[in-house]
Amino acid sequence: MPPLEHLHMKNVLQTVGVLEAVILRSFGPEGGQVLFTRDTGQAMLSRSGTRILTALQLEHPLARLCVWKHSTATGDGSKTFILLLASLLRLIHAAASKEPNVSHSYNSTKAAEAATARHLADKLLAFALKELDELIATGVVPYGGRISWEDFTATAQSPSLANNLCVQKLLRSFFHTRFGYTHCDFISHLACELLSYWKFKNELPSFSLQFVSDNFPALHTPVSGFPVCASRLIDGQVIHRDFATPPLKTDHQPVKAVVLTRSLQPTLLNTGDVLEVGCGGRMMEERSIVHFSAWMERSLQGIIANLQTLGVCVLLSAVKQSAAVLALATQAEMCVVECVSEDELSLFVRLSGTIPIWDCSMIEPEHVVTLTFCRPIQLGGHRYVHVAFQDSEERITVKPCSLVICAPGEGQTEQYACALQDAVRMLLRTWEPMHAAVTTTSKRTLQSHKSSSLHTDNLTDRTTYRSSAIQPIHKCVLEPGCVISAGGSFELLLHYALLQHGHSCSVSHDLNIDTSVSQLLANALLSVPQKIYAHSPRHFLETQSKVINSELDLGLESVSCKYQLLLAVLQCVRSLLKVDTVLPTHIALHTQSSRPASTSWEDTEDELLSGYIHLHTHTHTHIVYHAIYKEE
């Protein structure tokens, strides 16, 4: 049996340091792109932190634990996550090493340092959960602003309006972290236009954003072999299947459609059932089979006749229909679309207001929906089904549309699609209100903070996000839409707020607050802007002055996403430091698999993330690592 691996702080620092070195190559405005190569020779460039980290073949459990899935909620921040994680661990290690009083209950200095580090991690997380929201509300938000949801509606009508630039600036800053400066303006404008179409009447912004996020796989179509600027919006819905029967000739006229959840051909038997026919001789058995087949045919003809009576000429099916169904549908001049995905059918049902058919013998008028048209559409090398919905009172402010994402290569289209979906998640988090405690704010007014009115008066012409969409925040509440200048502004402002907080607590002799915790967190936050401006220390000093005077013009960032990212870092630190021992075990993997040829990068990354799963046609013996957590 392989020996146990006892972990120490140095092991954790070494593991995180390796990830930090990889991330630093693509971090900041001067960061480059990372080249990925696969065994097949396929290459891809990316600046996405999540993609870079998950593409690494991580075998050690600590490394896999560091690749936090927080980007699923916030949509971004993987690179900053690793940098803050590494900085915090170094500072905690330095503080634990300098602890003067080592408890005699520990049999070694390393054990005492590990216990001190775990204690500091617990205190950091507890401090953040209790105080961080208030510090952000009073020390960060007044230097930023708030963007309005109405910006998206105006974008589609007048892209030149000043307030629209604020939303596009937030998105442009987001896309710059993924692609650099290439196509950022175009993609941000396309995202604004998409969201303006999907604005639901009398609903909160979070509802519309959640709808787009949940239905994004059905709302977009990747097309390879075209430039990115060919990406566009198409009215209606694109169903990613082709017609199983000849399409309608009248493709510009209203048509009636139904949604089928099962085969139209009646079935009396389920899987595993046995049908006994005949009662004696062979001739009787043959006659019974003939009668049964004739009954099946008559039933199917009756269903098709009923659909004709209702005027139905489009059948959208979740399953594959039989050859008899396709033949009768063709004779009745009906077009059939088979094997439509569950996501696309759910979206179609939601947009059309129809009711799916569960019992083919009971098809009623409420199952029928009228479409503006149903016709084939050629996108790249594939032909799909394009449908459009008739206007109704429920869709006065909703214009159903599909997003066509174009790029020269398959991997690039996937990158742009993932970035757009992550941008929607980021906006969803931005518009979720987070309330901060205001009971003790007046007792600890930070001297470095400016009032909202003073901030508004001092906004200069160089502050490009000054507009009617940005409103000064007057309450200690993280309201929906709070943004701050990008380029390390959040970390710098929170750094100063934490230092002032520790100073005010030490002056007031508040014994319930450990000022060393706020000092440690403040120093860790400072590492982010230091890394951003590592190429120019003088520029770093100038940036600090510009942040205080609200003169920094490097885009916008979401305050809520930054807050969630910082909490995720502290939770990860706590989890890492609780790992005490790694237990390697040998297992035999029988990994013979019939993997489909069309494998996405995400599928490959999920396998690599597991750290020990490799697909081969023979058996391998691998080492699987299990982390054992230390209980205090």
Side-chain angles (χ1 to χ4, degrees):
M1 179 177 179
L4 297 178
E5 179 183 353
H6 296 282
L7 295 180
H8 305 291
M9 279 291 297
K10 291 183 178 180
N11 303 119
V12 179
L13 284 173
Q14 183 180 10
T15 302
V16 178
V18 172
L19 297 178
E20 182 187 28
V22 175
I23 285 298
L24 279 175
R25 300 175 183 178
S26 60
F27 184 72
E30 303 297 325
Q33 300 197 48
V34 177
L35 176 65
F36 295 91
T37 57
R38 300 173 67 175
D39 294 339
T40 58
Q42 183 181 0
M44 184 184 67
L45 290 171
S46 179
R47 292 192 70 200
S48 171
T50 302
R51 184 170 294 271
I52 293 171
L53 290 172
T54 53
L56 299 175
Q57 187 169 349
L58 305 175
E59 293 191 358
H60 203 281
L62 289 184
R64 295 201 298 271
L65 188 60
C66 294
V67 182
W68 196 264
K69 292 285 187 180
H70 72 281
S71 58
T72 304
T74 62
D76 195 24
S78 297
K79 289 181 278 191
T80 305
F81 179 91
I82 294 296
L83 296 181
L84 277 176
L85 181 65
S87 179
L88 266 175
L89 288 173
R90 291 191 186 97
L91 292 172
I92 289 175
H93 178 252
S97 301
K98 294 179 181 179
E99 186 69 27
N101 299 319
V102 177
S103 174
H104 296 288
S105 60
Y106 298 99
N107 54 9
S108 68
T109 304
K110 291 183 177 179
E113 290 180 358
T116 304
R118 287 192 288 269
H119 183 60
L120 279 175
D122 291 337
K123 289 168 63 177
L124 277 168
L125 183 57
F127 171 80
L129 293 174
K130 182 180 179 181
E131 304 284 346
L132 200 57
D133 51 1
E134 180 184 343
L135 290 172
I136 293 174
T138 56
V140 177
V141 172
Y143 291 88
R146 187 165 67 91
I147 52 181
S148 172
W149 175 247
E150 278 66 29
D151 294 353
F152 294 108
T153 304
T155 301
Q157 301 171 358
S158 179
S160 61
L161 291 177
N163 58 347
N164 301 327
L165 296 177
C166 296
V167 178
Q168 290 196 33
K169 191 171 186 179
L170 174 62
L171 290 171
R172 187 165 57 247
S173 303
F174 176 89
F175 290 127
H176 174 252
T177 63
R178 300 297 184 92
F179 316 121
Y181 293 103
T182 307
H183 304 301
C184 283
D185 291 333
F186 175 79
I187 296 297
S188 61
H189 177 74
L190 188 65
C192 285
E193 191 177 1
L194 173 69
L195 294 174
S196 68
Y197 273 73
W198 288 104
K199 181 182 179 183
F200 285 85
K201 180 183 178 182
N202 301 325
E203 295 288 353
L204 295 174
S206 57
F207 179 86
S208 299
L209 290 167
Q210 189 67 60
F211 179 87
V212 175
S213 179
D214 294 341
N215 294 278
F216 192 80
L219 288 176
H220 84 280
T221 304
V223 179
S224 302
F226 292 86
V228 177
C229 59
S231 302
R232 62 195 184 276
L233 296 179
I234 297 178
D235 291 335
Q237 181 183 0
V238 176
I239 298 175
H240 300 102
R241 299 293 299 178
D242 197 1
F243 291 97
T245 58
L248 300 175
K249 297 180 181 179
T250 56
D251 57 353
H252 293 283
Q253 297 180 6
V255 295
K256 293 185 177 181
V258 293
V259 175
L260 306 175
T261 58
R262 59 186 64 186
S263 177
L264 275 181
Q265 188 167 6
T267 56
L268 295 178
L269 301 177
N270 296 320
T271 303
D273 293 344
V274 178
L275 174 65
E276 295 183 1
V277 294
C279 56
R282 180 177 180 183
M283 182 64 66
M284 194 64 183
E285 292 183 6
E286 292 179 355
R287 291 178 57 188
S288 299
I289 293 175
V290 171
H291 291 164
F292 177 74
S293 300
W295 174 84
M296 295 281 287
E297 186 176 353
R298 288 195 302 270
S299 299
L300 181 57
Q301 290 175 348
I303 294 173
I304 296 295
N306 185 23
L307 291 172
Q308 283 184 302
T309 303
L310 295 173
V312 175
C313 53
V314 177
L315 308 178
L316 300 178
S317 175
V319 298
K320 186 174 180 60
Q321 298 293 332
S322 64
V325 172
L326 298 181
L328 289 175
T330 302
Q331 293 178 7
E333 296 185 350
M334 295 181 183
C335 61
V336 181
V337 184
E338 301 176 306
C339 303
V340 182
S341 69
E342 182 180 353
D343 292 338
E344 293 176 350
L345 275 184
S346 299
L347 179 62
F348 180 88
V349 169
R350 172 68 183 274
L351 296 177
S352 63
T354 187
I355 300 175
I357 297 174
W358 296 95
D359 187 356
C360 297
S361 63
M362 299 179 62
I363 302 178
E364 303 295 337
E366 56 264 23
H367 295 119
V368 181
V369 59
T370 302
L371 303 174
T372 303
F373 60 78
C374 177
R375 60 195 183 204
I377 182 173
Q378 190 75 27
L379 295 176
H382 302 277
R383 192 177 78 161
Y384 301 115
V385 177
H386 184 199
V387 299
F389 306 93
Q390 291 191 332
D391 293 334
S392 65
E393 294 182 359
E394 297 179 356
R395 291 196 298 270
I396 293 177
T397 57
V398 177
K399 302 176 182 178
C401 66
S402 295
L403 175 63
V404 178
I405 303 176
C406 300
E410 180 180 350
Q412 290 171 300
T413 55
E414 185 182 355
Q415 281 194 75
Y416 281 100
C418 291
L420 282 163
Q421 187 172 18
D422 288 342
V424 175
R425 293 194 186 107
M426 180 270 293
L427 292 174
L428 178 60
R429 177 66 66 180
T430 301
W431 261 278
E432 287 181 353
M434 293 189 300
H435 300 282
V438 296
T439 54
T440 59
T441 302
S442 58
K443 298 179 182 179
R444 296 196 302 270
T445 303
L446 305 182
Q447 297 177 2
S448 62
H449 298 155
K450 298 182 180 181
S451 64
S452 298
S453 59
L454 180 61
H455 164 67
T456 305
D457 295 337
N458 288 340
L459 281 177
T460 64
D461 293 337
R462 286 173 291 179
T463 309
T464 59
Y465 57 90
R466 176 185 182 184
S467 67
S468 59
I470 294 186
Q471 305 168 6
I473 306 301
H474 296 280
K475 298 183 297 182
C476 293
V477 176
L478 298 182
E479 298 181 357
C482 290
V483 294
I484 193 73
S485 295
S489 298
F490 178 88
E491 289 80 10
L492 280 171
L493 291 171
L494 188 55
H495 166 80
Y496 297 137
L498 286 166
L499 292 180
Q500 186 64 29
H501 171 79
H503 176 72
S504 60
C505 291
S506 62
V507 171
S508 61
H509 303 290
D510 192 342
L511 300 179
N512 296 324
I513 299 178
D514 189 352
T515 58
S516 62
V517 173
S518 60
Q519 176 76 35
L520 191 149
L521 185 57
N523 293 338
L525 285 167
L526 195 60
S527 65
V528 174
Q530 286 175 341
K531 292 291 193 307
I532 293 177
Y533 305 106
H535 62 284
S536 176
R538 179 180 178 182
H539 194 189
F540 172 65
L541 298 176
E542 294 175 353
T543 300
Q544 297 184 62
S545 175
K546 289 181 179 180
V547 167
I548 298 300
N549 297 323
S550 302
E551 298 176 356
L552 194 61
D553 181 19
L554 293 174
L556 296 176
E557 289 180 322
S558 168
V559 174
S560 298
C561 290
K562 284 288 188 179
Y563 171 69
Q564 294 296 329
L565 184 145
L566 187 52
L567 287 181
V569 170
L570 294 174
Q571 291 169 352
C572 186
V573 168
R574 185 173 180 267
S575 299
L576 284 174
L577 295 181
K578 281 189 173 295
V579 178
D580 181 70
T581 306
V582 174
L583 172 64
T585 58
H586 287 282
I587 62 171
L589 294 180
H590 298 275
T591 55
Q592 186 172 357
S593 174
S594 57
R595 184 179 180 84
S598 58
T599 303
S600 66
W601 281 88
E602 288 294 334
D603 296 335
T604 306
E605 290 165 6
D606 289 339
E607 294 171 4
L608 294 178
L609 182 59
S610 66
Y612 53 82
I613 298 179
H614 304 276
L615 297 182
H616 296 287
T617 57
H618 53 280
T619 302
H620 279 284
T621 302
H622 295 278
I623 297 179
V624 181
Y625 296 93
H626 301 277
I628 301 177
Y629 290 86
K630 178 72 174 181
E631 296 293 338
E632 296 293 339

mmCIF file of all heavy atoms in Angstrom, residues 490-516:
data_model
loop_
_atom_site.group_PDB
_atom_site.id
_atom_site.type_symbol
_atom_site.label_atom_id
_atom_site.label_comp_id
_atom_site.label_asym_id
_atom_site.label_seq_id
_atom_site.Cartn_x
_atom_site.Cartn_y
_atom_site.Cartn_z
ATOM 1 N N PHE A 490 -11.749 47.892 -7.009
ATOM 2 C CA PHE A 490 -12.432 47.219 -5.903
ATOM 3 C C PHE A 490 -11.442 46.801 -4.831
ATOM 4 O O PHE A 490 -11.660 47.040 -3.629
ATOM 5 C CB PHE A 490 -13.202 46.006 -6.435
ATOM 6 C CG PHE A 490 -13.895 45.208 -5.377
ATOM 7 C CD1 PHE A 490 -15.181 45.530 -4.983
ATOM 8 C CD2 PHE A 490 -13.263 44.124 -4.768
ATOM 9 C CE1 PHE A 490 -15.834 44.792 -3.994
ATOM 10 C CE2 PHE A 490 -13.899 43.386 -3.787
ATOM 11 C CZ PHE A 490 -15.188 43.718 -3.397
ATOM 12 N N GLU A 491 -10.362 46.164 -5.238
ATOM 13 C CA GLU A 491 -9.385 45.681 -4.257
ATOM 14 C C GLU A 491 -8.698 46.828 -3.530
ATOM 15 O O GLU A 491 -8.479 46.744 -2.303
ATOM 16 C CB GLU A 491 -8.341 44.808 -4.959
ATOM 17 C CG GLU A 491 -8.853 43.454 -5.430
ATOM 18 C CD GLU A 491 -9.631 43.535 -6.738
ATOM 19 O OE1 GLU A 491 -9.609 44.613 -7.367
ATOM 20 O OE2 GLU A 491 -10.256 42.538 -7.114
ATOM 21 N N LEU A 492 -8.375 47.906 -4.239
ATOM 22 C CA LEU A 492 -7.728 49.044 -3.593
ATOM 23 C C LEU A 492 -8.644 49.715 -2.592
ATOM 24 O O LEU A 492 -8.245 50.026 -1.455
ATOM 25 C CB LEU A 492 -7.272 50.052 -4.651
ATOM 26 C CG LEU A 492 -5.964 49.743 -5.386
ATOM 27 C CD1 LEU A 492 -5.767 50.714 -6.538
ATOM 28 C CD2 LEU A 492 -4.779 49.798 -4.435
ATOM 29 N N LEU A 493 -9.880 49.963 -2.981
ATOM 30 C CA LEU A 493 -10.828 50.635 -2.082
ATOM 31 C C LEU A 493 -11.133 49.780 -0.864
ATOM 32 O O LEU A 493 -11.206 50.290 0.265
ATOM 33 C CB LEU A 493 -12.111 50.966 -2.837
ATOM 34 C CG LEU A 493 -12.001 52.052 -3.905
ATOM 35 C CD1 LEU A 493 -13.276 52.126 -4.723
ATOM 36 C CD2 LEU A 493 -11.704 53.404 -3.269
ATOM 37 N N LEU A 494 -11.320 48.486 -1.070
ATOM 38 C CA LEU A 494 -11.588 47.615 0.079
ATOM 39 C C LEU A 494 -10.340 47.468 0.946
ATOM 40 O O LEU A 494 -10.454 47.321 2.177
ATOM 41 C CB LEU A 494 -12.056 46.243 -0.419
ATOM 42 C CG LEU A 494 -12.569 45.275 0.649
ATOM 43 C CD1 LEU A 494 -13.686 45.912 1.481
ATOM 44 C CD2 LEU A 494 -13.062 43.985 0.016
ATOM 45 N N HIS A 495 -9.173 47.549 0.345
ATOM 46 C CA HIS A 495 -7.920 47.539 1.111
ATOM 47 C C HIS A 495 -7.879 48.713 2.087
ATOM 48 O O HIS A 495 -7.608 48.537 3.285
ATOM 49 C CB HIS A 495 -6.741 47.598 0.144
ATOM 50 C CG HIS A 495 -5.429 47.919 0.789
ATOM 51 N ND1 HIS A 495 -4.673 46.978 1.445
ATOM 52 C CD2 HIS A 495 -4.741 49.093 0.873
ATOM 53 C CE1 HIS A 495 -3.567 47.550 1.922
ATOM 54 N NE2 HIS A 495 -3.575 48.828 1.566
ATOM 55 N N TYR A 496 -8.180 49.911 1.578
ATOM 56 C CA TYR A 496 -8.189 51.094 2.452
ATOM 57 C C TYR A 496 -9.291 51.001 3.501
ATOM 58 O O TYR A 496 -9.100 51.400 4.659
ATOM 59 C CB TYR A 496 -8.377 52.358 1.617
ATOM 60 C CG TYR A 496 -7.246 52.621 0.643
ATOM 61 C CD1 TYR A 496 -7.505 53.040 -0.661
ATOM 62 C CD2 TYR A 496 -5.918 52.436 1.016
ATOM 63 C CE1 TYR A 496 -6.472 53.277 -1.564
ATOM 64 C CE2 TYR A 496 -4.885 52.662 0.126
ATOM 65 C CZ TYR A 496 -5.163 53.082 -1.159
ATOM 66 O OH TYR A 496 -4.137 53.306 -2.043
ATOM 67 N N ALA A 497 -10.442 50.491 3.117
ATOM 68 C CA ALA A 497 -11.545 50.366 4.065
ATOM 69 C C ALA A 497 -11.204 49.402 5.198
ATOM 70 O O ALA A 497 -11.532 49.659 6.366
ATOM 71 C CB ALA A 497 -12.809 49.898 3.332
ATOM 72 N N LEU A 498 -10.537 48.305 4.876
ATOM 73 C CA LEU A 498 -10.149 47.342 5.904
ATOM 74 C C LEU A 498 -9.098 47.929 6.842
ATOM 75 O O LEU A 498 -9.135 47.699 8.063
ATOM 76 C CB LEU A 498 -9.629 46.066 5.243
ATOM 77 C CG LEU A 498 -10.687 45.159 4.601
ATOM 78 C CD1 LEU A 498 -10.027 44.122 3.702
ATOM 79 C CD2 LEU A 498 -11.512 44.469 5.682
ATOM 80 N N LEU A 499 -8.138 48.675 6.297
ATOM 81 C CA LEU A 499 -7.125 49.303 7.154
ATOM 82 C C LEU A 499 -7.765 50.311 8.095
ATOM 83 O O LEU A 499 -7.442 50.364 9.301
ATOM 84 C CB LEU A 499 -6.070 49.995 6.287
ATOM 85 C CG LEU A 499 -5.156 49.089 5.451
ATOM 86 C CD1 LEU A 499 -4.172 49.934 4.639
ATOM 87 C CD2 LEU A 499 -4.412 48.100 6.337
ATOM 88 N N GLN A 500 -8.683 51.125 7.554
ATOM 89 C CA GLN A 500 -9.362 52.112 8.397
ATOM 90 C C GLN A 500 -10.247 51.435 9.438
ATOM 91 O O GLN A 500 -10.364 51.891 10.575
ATOM 92 C CB GLN A 500 -10.204 53.046 7.520
ATOM 93 C CG GLN A 500 -10.848 54.204 8.276
ATOM 94 C CD GLN A 500 -9.809 55.150 8.853
ATOM 95 O OE1 GLN A 500 -8.718 55.282 8.297
ATOM 96 N NE2 GLN A 500 -10.140 55.778 9.962
ATOM 97 N N HIS A 501 -10.852 50.324 9.042
ATOM 98 C CA HIS A 501 -11.683 49.564 9.970
ATOM 99 C C HIS A 501 -10.846 49.033 11.134
ATOM 100 O O HIS A 501 -11.245 49.142 12.304
ATOM 101 C CB HIS A 501 -12.346 48.405 9.229
ATOM 102 C CG HIS A 501 -13.056 47.432 10.113
ATOM 103 N ND1 HIS A 501 -14.308 47.663 10.634
ATOM 104 C CD2 HIS A 501 -12.678 46.211 10.585
ATOM 105 C CE1 HIS A 501 -14.682 46.640 11.372
ATOM 106 N NE2 HIS A 501 -13.706 45.734 11.359
ATOM 107 N N GLY A 502 -9.684 48.462 10.824
ATOM 108 C CA GLY A 502 -8.816 47.973 11.888
ATOM 109 C C GLY A 502 -8.315 49.083 12.789
ATOM 110 O O GLY A 502 -8.221 48.911 14.015
ATOM 111 N N HIS A 503 -8.007 50.235 12.170
ATOM 112 C CA HIS A 503 -7.540 51.361 12.977
ATOM 113 C C HIS A 503 -8.631 51.864 13.914
ATOM 114 O O HIS A 503 -8.375 52.126 15.102
ATOM 115 C CB HIS A 503 -7.078 52.491 12.061
ATOM 116 C CG HIS A 503 -6.664 53.735 12.796
ATOM 117 N ND1 HIS A 503 -5.494 53.809 13.535
ATOM 118 C CD2 HIS A 503 -7.274 54.960 12.924
ATOM 119 C CE1 HIS A 503 -5.402 55.009 14.074
ATOM 120 N NE2 HIS A 503 -6.466 55.718 13.711
ATOM 121 N N SER A 504 -9.856 51.993 13.422
ATOM 122 C CA SER A 504 -10.945 52.497 14.253
ATOM 123 C C SER A 504 -11.270 51.532 15.385
ATOM 124 O O SER A 504 -11.620 51.949 16.490
ATOM 125 C CB SER A 504 -12.189 52.746 13.394
ATOM 126 O OG SER A 504 -12.616 51.535 12.778
ATOM 127 N N CYS A 505 -11.145 50.216 15.121
ATOM 128 C CA CYS A 505 -11.414 49.230 16.170
ATOM 129 C C CYS A 505 -10.320 49.256 17.242
ATOM 130 O O CYS A 505 -10.599 49.075 18.434
ATOM 131 C CB CYS A 505 -11.516 47.837 15.577
ATOM 132 S SG CYS A 505 -12.975 47.596 14.553
ATOM 133 N N SER A 506 -9.066 49.470 16.819
ATOM 134 C CA SER A 506 -7.983 49.531 17.808
ATOM 135 C C SER A 506 -8.087 50.781 18.663
ATOM 136 O O SER A 506 -7.770 50.754 19.860
ATOM 137 C CB SER A 506 -6.633 49.489 17.094
ATOM 138 O OG SER A 506 -6.482 50.606 16.228
ATOM 139 N N VAL A 507 -8.544 51.882 18.061
ATOM 140 C CA VAL A 507 -8.711 53.114 18.831
ATOM 141 C C VAL A 507 -9.840 52.987 19.834
ATOM 142 O O VAL A 507 -9.760 53.452 20.974
ATOM 143 C CB VAL A 507 -8.958 54.311 17.875
ATOM 144 C CG1 VAL A 507 -9.355 55.558 18.648
ATOM 145 C CG2 VAL A 507 -7.728 54.569 17.036
ATOM 146 N N SER A 508 -10.917 52.324 19.413
ATOM 147 C CA SER A 508 -12.076 52.172 20.310
ATOM 148 C C SER A 508 -11.899 51.028 21.284
ATOM 149 O O SER A 508 -12.765 50.812 22.130
ATOM 150 C CB SER A 508 -13.333 51.930 19.478
ATOM 151 O OG SER A 508 -13.205 50.741 18.710
ATOM 152 N N HIS A 509 -10.789 50.268 21.167
ATOM 153 C CA HIS A 509 -10.477 49.151 22.057
ATOM 154 C C HIS A 509 -11.605 48.121 22.081
ATOM 155 O O HIS A 509 -12.041 47.665 23.141
ATOM 156 C CB HIS A 509 -10.205 49.655 23.484
ATOM 157 C CG HIS A 509 -9.098 50.651 23.553
ATOM 158 N ND1 HIS A 509 -7.771 50.328 23.353
ATOM 159 C CD2 HIS A 509 -9.130 52.005 23.781
ATOM 160 C CE1 HIS A 509 -7.020 51.420 23.467
ATOM 161 N NE2 HIS A 509 -7.830 52.449 23.718
ATOM 162 N N ASP A 510 -12.088 47.800 20.892
ATOM 163 C CA ASP A 510 -13.133 46.783 20.770
ATOM 164 C C ASP A 510 -12.489 45.410 20.866
ATOM 165 O O ASP A 510 -11.827 44.942 19.948
ATOM 166 C CB ASP A 510 -13.858 46.929 19.433
ATOM 167 C CG ASP A 510 -15.131 46.100 19.387
ATOM 168 O OD1 ASP A 510 -15.270 45.181 20.223
ATOM 169 O OD2 ASP A 510 -15.997 46.371 18.523
ATOM 170 N N LEU A 511 -12.686 44.744 22.012
ATOM 171 C CA LEU A 511 -12.034 43.466 22.262
ATOM 172 C C LEU A 511 -12.660 42.324 21.468
ATOM 173 O O LEU A 511 -12.080 41.244 21.362
ATOM 174 C CB LEU A 511 -12.089 43.131 23.761
ATOM 175 C CG LEU A 511 -11.398 44.143 24.686
ATOM 176 C CD1 LEU A 511 -11.549 43.711 26.133
ATOM 177 C CD2 LEU A 511 -9.917 44.298 24.319
ATOM 178 N N ASN A 512 -13.854 42.543 20.908
ATOM 179 C CA ASN A 512 -14.540 41.490 20.168
ATOM 180 C C ASN A 512 -14.043 41.366 18.721
ATOM 181 O O ASN A 512 -14.471 40.484 18.002
ATOM 182 C CB ASN A 512 -16.051 41.749 20.155
ATOM 183 C CG ASN A 512 -16.646 41.676 21.554
ATOM 184 O OD1 ASN A 512 -16.213 40.865 22.371
ATOM 185 N ND2 ASN A 512 -17.627 42.521 21.832
ATOM 186 N N ILE A 513 -13.181 42.269 18.274
ATOM 187 C CA ILE A 513 -12.712 42.285 16.899
ATOM 188 C C ILE A 513 -11.197 42.147 16.873
ATOM 189 O O ILE A 513 -10.483 42.869 17.568
ATOM 190 C CB ILE A 513 -13.152 43.578 16.184
ATOM 191 C CG1 ILE A 513 -14.681 43.666 16.156
ATOM 192 C CG2 ILE A 513 -12.580 43.648 14.788
ATOM 193 C CD1 ILE A 513 -15.204 44.924 15.511
ATOM 194 N N ASP A 514 -10.713 41.216 16.095
ATOM 195 C CA ASP A 514 -9.279 41.004 15.934
ATOM 196 C C ASP A 514 -8.811 41.838 14.745
ATOM 197 O O ASP A 514 -9.121 41.547 13.596
ATOM 198 C CB ASP A 514 -9.002 39.520 15.704
ATOM 199 C CG ASP A 514 -7.503 39.209 15.743
ATOM 200 O OD1 ASP A 514 -6.705 40.164 15.803
ATOM 201 O OD2 ASP A 514 -7.156 38.016 15.715
ATOM 202 N N THR A 515 -8.071 42.901 15.032
ATOM 203 C CA THR A 515 -7.633 43.805 13.964
ATOM 204 C C THR A 515 -6.623 43.152 13.038
ATOM 205 O O THR A 515 -6.466 43.581 11.902
ATOM 206 C CB THR A 515 -7.023 45.075 14.574
ATOM 207 O OG1 THR A 515 -5.923 44.704 15.425
ATOM 208 C CG2 THR A 515 -8.053 45.844 15.381
ATOM 209 N N SER A 516 -5.937 42.103 13.503
ATOM 210 C CA SER A 516 -4.953 41.439 12.643
ATOM 211 C C SER A 516 -5.627 40.750 11.455
ATOM 212 O O SER A 516 -5.026 40.608 10.384
ATOM 213 C CB SER A 516 -4.160 40.406 13.449
ATOM 214 O OG SER A 516 -5.007 39.383 13.951
#
